[in-house]
Amino acid sequence: MQAGYEIDVLFKEAKSRWLKPEEVLFVLQNHEKFGLTEAPPQKPPSGSLFLFNTRILDFFREDGHIWRKMKNTRIVSEAHERLETADGVGLDCYYAFGKQNPNFQRRVYSMAAYLYGHLVLVHYRDVSLTKASITKVDLEWIFPITNFVLELPSAVFDQLSSVRKPQYALLSMLMSFAALLICIVELIYTCRKQRVTWKWISTLPWLYHPRNRPFCDFKDIIGPVCALCQCIFAAVTYGFARQHADSPIKVSFWPIVFASGLLLSKHLAK
């Protein structure tokens, strides 16, 4: 069972944002603390959150709102998406959009499991009213964007570095270490977000998700691996430049490869 959330806090958070898959799972698994709604709400406002037992109340979607319908039918059009928590638990999510106001949405979450399959969590939100509607950059994209900005001058300095100009090799190395530091910060942020912990389960200690699933996805490690390789190459190049010798490693293209790897990892994550 999930742990680490408070029902009252989730109630408040639901008024300004959509719940994360882990939070939805927590509510479904702790439905006795949340409380079941026994009748369909009538025109619930944005931020409303309801938990229903479909064995008792099957027509919970009759909420009084007018939703967008499928073409030439009276059936409400609902998009479906399969969500997954950090530890691999699957959730079904059905989206409905208001007919007059498409920004007003309803999400119905359910869990395809024997113990909780009869429970659904319904969340209403007007996304035009959320604070997130004010233009802001997703924190997860700040890291690769910052690294990409660093890689452009790093590639230039790497090209300009030579036996007579070791200062450019130094600048390239410093930017490489800055990129590695950003990757480490991003890795820590990802681990905290996915509630990953350091455990000694097998022969060697490693990072694990709450259900002891190893933290080793390709999209999570490609950035730090590329950053480490870049630091090694840049340090070797600077070491030879200080000795007034040509570096045996010719990898001036590596900063671009590193930046591409970061963007690829973020694309895979999305």
Side-chain angles (χ1 to χ4, degrees), residues 114-134:
Y114 177 76
L115 291 177
Y116 310 104
H118 61 290
L119 299 173
V120 294
L121 181 66
V122 183
H123 192 181
Y124 297 85
R125 282 198 61 232
D126 188 336
V127 296
S128 64
L129 300 178
T130 181
K131 295 179 181 179
S133 62
I134 302 175

Side-chain angles (χ1 to χ4, degrees), residues 196-209 212-216:
V196 174
T197 55
W198 183 266
K199 298 180 182 179
W200 198 314
I201 296 179
S202 57
T203 306
L204 297 174
W206 189 247
L207 298 171
Y208 289 89
H209 290 286
N212 295 333
R213 183 169 63 90
F215 177 78
C216 59

Side-chain angles (χ1 to χ4, degrees), residues 28 37 40 84 89 102 125 152 175 187 189 210 229 235:
L28 292 175
T37 304
E84 187 173 304
V89 179
R125 282 198 61 232
L152 293 179
M175 289 188 175
L187 184 63
Y189 168 78
C229 292

